[in-house]
Amino acid sequence: MADIDVLQQLEQTQQKGLNSLAGIASEEALLAWRTQYLGKNTAITQAFQSLGKLPAELRPQVGQTANKVKVALEAVLAEKTAALKETSLAHALATETLDITLPGRPLVQGRLHPDTQMLRELYRVFGEMGFQVYRSREVETDEFNFQLLNFPIGHPARDMQDTYFVEAGERGTNPIVMRTHTSPGQIHAMREFSATNPQNPPSVRLILPGMCYRYEQTDARHETQFDQIEGLAVGPGITFSNLKATLSDLARRLFGQQVRTRFRASFFPFTEPSAEFDVECFLCGGKGCPVCGGGWLEIGGCGMVHPNVLRNGGYDPERYTGFAFGLGPQRIAMLRYGINDIRYFWENDMRFLEQF
Ligand code: PHE
């Protein structure tokens, strides 16, 4: 009797399972159905578990029936699962639309740093004037940064350029320094060019751009890291007039024909005579402000290359003369764009950088 019950229960389970599946329309309901009919606690599992206790002749029939019911229910479950998936996809396709009129995310556009822009403009202007760019190193020896430029060891003029010394072991009187100016490049350049023809070195007209480092008290016009553009022209018969004309012309090309400039006598160990080159301050209109001080902004030093320096570069000062200058491109950019503090350049503040 009990055995007949098992078979009946199995048949009923199959019937009920098939019937109730027809009404299922969601994946959650299908999951519940699956637990109910194919889970751990169903007529099918019970039938399998009871097999051992049944009389031997009934076992095949009960086992086969349980198996048949299980296979049948699994088959309809698979069909239903596929059908539900298809319906939900069709629904999504019909109802969800892709709004292609929505504006895209803006791409942030990069740009060149104002200092780089200024340098490139200066390369262009100097290029028109016949100067070629010569690259020189940022880490120097004391010998090149000072000694070969006529600053002997212990010379008071070294105080003009507060220096970062690099720890590099015991190097006696020739420590390693972060270059304090681009002028040591003059020696590298002259040596390279004079080596090509030591008896008759070629004339040169060069600019040497790059970073310089000083242990400075920073303020609106001083930073511990700044660019310079060194200029160097060496040849037979070069005069101070050529220097004045070159820098005055540069100022006119950069700021227009009306710009006022001035040369002030000064001192550098590696030029003789020496001068400082000022441009009227556009930030205050020449009245005087925190950037310029007195209405004029010094944008560089200059002078005639000292005979010792020419000699150190392999040029005979009896036959060659030359002029040199060292400009501050960031000072020029400040005048150009109305930037009232040099410290903005390397602060990386987007509000500043995005204006260029
Ligand atoms: N090297 C000098 C400085 O940094 C500037 C300079 C360059 C002066 C060339 C004269 C000639 O202060």
Side-chain angles (χ1 to χ4, degrees), residues 10 20 43 62 104 106 113 131 140 172-173 180 203 205 234 237 270 285 292 318-319 329 338 340 344 346-347 353:
L10 283 170
S20 64
V62 172
H113 191 283
F131 286 80
E140 276 292 359
T173 55
T180 57
S203 299
R205 205 183 286 182
V234 178
F270 42 94
C292 65
E318 299 298 327
R319 292 167 56 208
N340 59 13
Y344 285 129
W346 310 126
E347 262 177 5
L353 297 173

Side-chain angles (χ1 to χ4, degrees), residues 161 180-181 183 186 214 228 230 268 270-271 301-303 324-326:
Q161 303 190 2
T180 57
H181 53 171
S183 301
Q186 290 187 27
R214 290 187 199 174
Q228 279 195 344
E230 190 85 6
F268 299 101
F270 42 94
T271 47
C302 59
F325 53 82

Side-chain angles (χ1 to χ4, degrees), residues 30-173:
L30 189 60
L31 215 63
W33 180 91
R34 185 187 170 161
T35 319
Q36 189 177 347
Y37 294 97
L38 288 164
K40 283 192 187 135
N41 203 9
T42 64
I44 301 172
T45 47
Q46 279 162 19
F48 283 128
Q49 278 160 9
S50 68
L51 279 183
K53 291 175 232 144
L54 291 177
E57 66 275 18
L58 274 176
R59 283 181 205 162
Q61 200 194 353
V62 172
Q64 278 164 17
T65 310
N67 216 31
K68 182 198 84 175
V69 171
K70 185 171 175 237
V71 169
L73 289 178
E74 279 175 353
V76 290
L77 172 68
E79 267 172 40
K80 190 74 181 184
T81 308
L84 278 185
K85 263 205 188 121
E86 224 166 273
T87 331
S88 84
L89 178 64
H91 179 75
L93 287 174
T95 56
E96 292 171 19
T97 50
L98 186 64
D99 184 358
I100 55 166
T101 64
L102 207 68
R105 290 196 198 120
L107 279 181
V108 183
Q109 226 187 349
R111 63 195 82 197
L112 292 176
H113 191 283
D115 185 55
T116 305
Q117 293 184 33
M118 191 71 238
L119 285 174
R120 290 192 179 183
E121 184 174 349
L122 286 163
Y123 300 161
R124 184 182 59 73
V125 171
F126 276 118
E128 286 171 6
M129 295 162 79
F131 286 80
Q132 97 191 64
V133 175
Y134 185 95
R135 294 277 172 192
S136 185
R137 62 195 69 172
E138 282 180 34
V139 181
E140 276 292 359
T141 57
D142 186 284
E143 184 189 17
F144 275 84
N145 196 82
F146 293 120
Q147 296 165 39
L148 292 168
L149 292 172
N150 233 5
F151 295 83
I153 294 151
H155 193 281
R158 288 181 176 224
D159 290 350
M160 294 196 299
Q161 303 190 2
D162 293 316
T163 308
Y164 286 117
F165 291 90
V166 178
E167 277 184 27
E170 184 44 58
R171 293 183 50 90
T173 55

Side-chain angles (χ1 to χ4, degrees), residues 336-354:
R336 192 69 193 275
Y337 302 122
I339 299 165
N340 59 13
D341 197 313
I342 200 169
R343 289 167 292 193
Y344 285 129
F345 280 94
W346 310 126
E347 262 177 5
N348 269 340
D349 188 331
M350 294 300 282
R351 290 169 301 180
F352 171 72
L353 297 173
E354 278 171 357

Side-chain angles (χ1 to χ4, degrees), residues 278-289:
D278 298 347
V279 174
E280 64 182 315
C281 179
F282 302 128
L283 295 165
C284 61
K287 285 199 289 288
C289 68

